[in-house]
Amino acid sequence: TVDTDSAAGYYGSYVQRVDAAGGTDVNTAARVLIPFATTDMTGGAHATDYTYSVDGTEITINTTGDYEISVNVGVTEGTTTSRSGSIVRAVLNGTDVGPAAKTGYIRNTEGHQQSSYSIATFLLTMGAESTFSIGAIRETTTSGTVLTEAGESYLYIRRLT
């Protein structure tokens, strides 16, 4: 069953957050959380379904239910790093969950210095008081800086039930 709000003409509650500042290094040996600190769009009971950490790295789920999640993380690397690749995953209560995005390989040659990690859509059951984040960690042996680009990373969450 999907919660509906017929007056507003949409299903469930939703929030879309953006990493407006950018600058998070996703090519690190330890997992980092991406700060989706700016609310871009909202609908339904979003004000009661979700709360956010000050830095935007964690969303607290206030309503138990099934959630639809989509993520895109836009990145760019410096001129000295080459052949980098990271993994981007959802993190629920400190544990990696859902599909992994591994499509952000950057060759850093002939102008190829940008890429993105996308998790098109997946469903996740989350309980009240759960903390949800998007994390990244280096997968290749190439070290160096790979930064999120300002305004190019989005997180969309919609409560379905």
Side-chain angles (χ1 to χ4, degrees):
T1 305
V2 175
D3 287 346
T4 62
D5 182 342
S6 57
Y10 54 79
Y11 295 95
S13 70
Y14 63 91
V15 63
Q16 181 168 284
R17 305 273 290 183
V18 62
D19 176 10
T24 300
D25 188 356
V26 300
N27 195 42
T28 59
R31 178 175 61 206
V32 297
L33 301 180
I34 298 167
F36 294 95
T38 304
T39 299
D40 186 50
M41 296 178 70
T42 59
H46 67 89
T48 56
D49 283 344
Y50 318 99
T51 52
Y52 316 101
S53 62
V54 172
D55 66 358
T57 59
E58 288 186 339
I59 296 175
T60 299
I61 303 300
N62 298 322
T63 305
T64 298
D66 296 327
Y67 289 80
E68 175 184 54
I69 300 162
S70 298
V71 180
N72 185 73
V73 178
V75 296
T76 187
E77 68 179 26
T79 57
T80 59
T81 306
S82 64
R83 299 180 184 210
S84 64
S86 300
I87 299 173
V88 171
R89 295 205 64 177
V91 180
L92 181 62
N93 298 322
T95 302
D96 292 340
V97 294
K102 299 182 177 187
T103 57
Y105 175 80
I106 301 174
R107 182 151 171 78
N108 196 14
T109 187
E110 298 175 5
H112 181 238
Q113 294 175 305
Q114 296 173 310
S115 190
S116 65
Y117 298 88
S118 295
I119 301 174
T121 302
F122 69 102
L123 302 178
L124 186 62
T125 300
M126 294 188 275
E129 308 287 322
S130 294
T131 57
F132 179 83
S133 303
I134 299 297
I137 190 168
R138 179 175 60 227
E139 182 178 41
T140 64
T141 58
T142 302
S143 60
T145 303
V146 179
L147 301 174
T148 57
E149 290 188 275
E152 296 296 324
S153 299
Y154 283 83
L155 168 63
Y156 171 79
I157 299 177
R158 180 171 66 133
R159 182 173 57 84
L160 300 173
T161 61

